[in-house]
């Protein structure tokens, strides 16, 4: 069942974070749905309600143009039929104004992100407000971004600018946006920290105090870049030196301070890369795509189950469903 991110945030706020997972292909979609229903081995596995979680499936502009955006939409519609117990939002990740309008008009997305964080404050407000007005008319909710994470976001390369709490409050008031992505020390990709840095909880706390009560904050660049997966990639011929990510132990403390959506893309790519490298290293005679794809779907669903447990969303699905009635 497709719901809005707002529906999910109301239940989660202050208690746990909803995992927002980027997808690009069929295998990721199947692994993601299965993982969020606590299924691990075969398609016939029953849903494990102790592990089942609400989630956000997010599609970047790069994912939409990888083949044709209609393929991903079709696959997600099919997953909704194959996995009727799933409760999820369909979200455009890092949208431009045009991409947001395209998704709003499509009638498929329940949530869009307008990312004008690279613009001046006033311009960011102006663009975000236009998108909010169009989205609201169709019952779609909007995420915006204030501050700069650093690293690469889609095709924009930038330097770090932590979110200013007072500006965050003004931005929310002037745009009417439903949730706000804040820069508090994370960055996109597999190389987030050079040393022992982590999240700026002091800044996050000030943001939470400045914005309206129970206002959902979003944390981009939140992959944990697990050492285990990086080592598996490197042992199978990869060259990911000094990769590092967010400490998973920081997710729940961030959730308690209002972070309600946590974005994960890189970790899924690492799992994909490790599984495929290992498979073809160990079976050099194999050239069929399905055996590796099957191993990946299982590994990815197990990874999602793990991720949801550290986000605190595991086991929340039934309760969320009741809260929607
Ligand atoms: O924030 C960026 C996301 O990880 C999406 O990445 O634009 O390569 O699909 P992508
Ligand atoms: P990661 O690169 O840390 O997975 O972040 C993904 C993200 O923020 C997508 O918008
Ligand atoms: Zn992002």
């Amino acid at each position: 069942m497709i719901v809005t991110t707002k529906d999910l945030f109301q239940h989660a706020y202050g208690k746990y974070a909803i995992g927002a997972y980027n997808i690009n292909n069929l295998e990721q979609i199947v692994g993601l749905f299965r993982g969020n229903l606590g299924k691990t081995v075969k398609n016939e596995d029953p849903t494990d309600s102790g592990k089942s979680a609400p989630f956000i499936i997010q599609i970047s502009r790069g994912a939409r143009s990888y083949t044709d955006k209609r393929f991903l939409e079709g696959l997600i519609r099919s997953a909704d039929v194959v996995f009727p117990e799933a409760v999820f939002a369909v979200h455009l990740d890092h949208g431009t104004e045009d991409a947001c309008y395209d998704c709003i008009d499509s009638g498929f997305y329940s949530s869009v992100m307008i990312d004008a964080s690279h613009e001046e404050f006033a311009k960011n407000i102006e663009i975000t407000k236009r998108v909010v007005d169009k989205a609201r008319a169709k019952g779609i909710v909007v995420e915006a971004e204030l501050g700069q994470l650093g690293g690469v976001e889609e095709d924009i390369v930038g330097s770090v600018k932590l979110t200013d709490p007072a500006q965050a409050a003004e931005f929310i008031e002037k745009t009417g946006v439903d949730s706000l992505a804040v820069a508090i020390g994370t960055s996109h990709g597999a190389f987030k920290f050079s040393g022992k840095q982590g999240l700026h909880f002091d800044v996050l706390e000030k943001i939470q105090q400045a914005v309206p009560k129970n206002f959902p904050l979003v944390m981009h660049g939140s992959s944990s870049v697990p050492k285990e997966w990086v080592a598996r990639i490197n042992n199978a011929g990869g060259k990911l030196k000094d990769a590092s990510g967010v400490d998973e132990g920081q997710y729940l403390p961030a959730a308690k301070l209002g972070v309600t959506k946590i974005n994960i893309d890189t970790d899924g790519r690492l799992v994909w890369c490790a599984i495929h490298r290992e498979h073809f290293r160990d079976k050099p005679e194999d050239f069929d795509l399905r055996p590796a794809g099957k191993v990946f779907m299982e590994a990815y669903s197990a990874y999602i189950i793990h991720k949801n447990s550290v986000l605190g969303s595991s086991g929340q699905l039934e309760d969320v469903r009741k809260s929607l009635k």
Side-chain angles (χ1 to χ4, degrees), residues 184 199 201 204 219 249-260 262:
I184 52 168
L199 303 186
F201 282 105
L204 177 59
M219 204 164 80
Q250 299 200 324
Y251 293 154
L252 273 178
K256 303 270 185 289
L257 292 172
V259 171
T260 319
I262 289 194

Side-chain angles (χ1 to χ4, degrees), residues 289-306:
L289 65 161
R290 288 178 307 208
K294 276 191 174 169
V295 180
F296 167 71
M297 288 188 280
E298 288 198 17
Y300 192 46
S301 61
Y303 188 74
I304 296 293
I305 290 171
H306 160 75

Side-chain angles (χ1 to χ4, degrees), residues 72-206:
L72 289 181
E73 295 179 13
L75 288 171
I76 296 167
R77 280 186 212 278
S78 298
D80 194 20
V81 174
V82 174
F83 302 102
E85 317 97 293
V87 175
F88 61 102
V90 180
H91 176 76
L92 169 69
D93 191 28
H94 292 288
T96 56
E97 203 173 348
D98 282 348
C100 284
Y101 297 152
D102 195 50
C103 292
I104 291 166
D105 291 339
S106 76
F108 180 60
Y109 289 71
S110 59
S111 168
V112 294
M113 175 192 189
I114 171 67
D115 183 359
S117 60
H118 49 284
E119 302 282 2
E120 290 296 316
F121 184 57
K123 185 97 179 153
N124 190 353
I125 290 179
E126 187 189 311
I127 297 169
T128 301
K129 174 89 175 72
R130 275 201 298 269
V131 173
V132 168
D133 289 344
K134 289 222 170 140
R136 195 130 300 156
K138 297 219 174 168
I140 293 164
V141 300
V142 181
E143 170 185 324
E145 181 169 328
L146 184 65
Q148 275 167 19
L149 266 63
V152 183
E153 288 184 10
E154 291 273 356
D155 44 1
I156 300 161
V157 184
S159 53
V160 180
K161 190 166 164 255
L162 298 186
T163 304
D164 177 89
Q167 278 199 338
E170 185 183 342
F171 186 90
I172 293 163
E173 200 209 319
K174 290 193 168 153
T175 59
V177 77
D178 301 283
S179 62
L180 186 67
V182 291
I184 52 168
T186 62
S187 60
H188 291 101
F191 305 92
K192 300 189 194 297
F193 305 113
S194 52
K196 286 210 175 306
Q197 307 96 324
L199 303 186
H200 293 268
F201 282 105
D202 50 336
V203 178
L204 177 59
E205 205 169 336
K206 288 193 183 112

